[in-house]
Structures are given as structure tokens and as C-alpha cells.
Amino acid sequence: QVELVESGGGLVQPGGSLRLSCVASASTSTTISVMGWYRQAPGKERDLVAIINRVGDTKYADSVKGRFTVSRDNAKDAVYLHMSILKPEDTAVYFCHAIYSDYGESWDAWGQGTLVTVQG
């Protein structure tokens, strides 16, 4: 079983930057293939923000391309999201997500979420 712990959310002004971190606790039998970030604004569905696989291939939502960068440290089982040029519409709870395999079976896990608020 993988547990994800996020950190780094908070209040930031429009145009500012923020960095989110997520660390996974995993056993030696676990291989985490994809890690990434989703977000959920009030009254809306949870949507993909950015994901990255073990070799560094990435995918971004169109709304964050050019402003957000996802990165990963496989040795630490960690994923990061550097957010810049933040806009009020980026306000949401950001969730870390991981897809992993353990003894040949695939699973996924979610973090508890961290709130990002963009306002002047």
C-alpha cells in the first residue's frame, strides 16, 4: 500500500509562484509508475493538472501549459509541481496521485489534498 503526503499549498497573489511536494511511502516490493497532480475547485470535478512517469515523460492540462512544471525524484518516490504565473482560476484543492504495482497487481493512491488559493 502506498500513502501520499502533500505539502506546499497556501495563499498566493495572482502572478505569484508556489511549489507543491508529494512524498510516497512505499514498500520495497512496490514500483510507482506514474505520479502526478489533480485539482478540484469548489463545485467542480477533479481534473488532471500534470503527470509524469518514471522516465520523465509528462502530460499537462492545456490550462497550465507553460506555467506549471511537474518533476519527480524516483529515489525519494517524490513528485513536485512548480506553479508560476498563478491565476485566480488556479484556486483549488490539489491532490497528489500515484499509480503503482505491488506483487504484479496495479493500484492507485490519492493524497489528502492541499489547498491553493490565488487572490489579491
Side-chain angles (χ1 to χ4, degrees):
Q1 184 175 354
V2 168
E3 293 187 359
L4 304 174
V5 179
E6 303 116 330
S7 60
L11 175 65
V12 63
Q13 292 185 340
S17 299
L18 208 58
R19 184 175 183 256
L20 305 182
S21 299
C22 172
V23 179
S25 61
S27 66
T28 55
S29 64
T30 300
T31 300
I32 301 175
S33 56
V34 179
M35 298 188 79
W37 297 91
Y38 290 71
R39 67 186 180 186
Q40 188 168 18
K44 296 188 176 182
E45 296 184 350
R46 190 174 298 186
D47 293 323
L48 179 144
V49 177
I51 55 175
I52 183 169
N53 65 13
R54 291 189 67 83
V55 296
D57 298 323
T58 58
K59 179 179 180 179
Y60 293 92
D62 288 342
S63 59
V64 306
K65 285 181 180 177
R67 300 189 298 121
F68 290 13
T69 301
V70 63
S71 60
R72 178 172 176 171
D73 186 334
N74 291 329
K76 297 181 179 179
D77 284 334
V79 64
Y80 310 96
L81 185 68
H82 185 263
M83 305 181 290
S84 61
I85 318 175
L86 282 160
K87 304 175 182 180
E89 51 264 43
D90 294 317
T91 295
V93 177
Y94 284 70
F95 295 89
C96 180
H97 181 252
I99 299 173
Y100 64 98
S101 60
D102 202 348
Y103 294 107
E105 293 194 37
S106 293
W107 308 85
D108 75 326
W110 291 94
Q112 80 283 359
T114 185
L115 178 63
V116 172
T117 303
V118 184
Q119 66 180 35

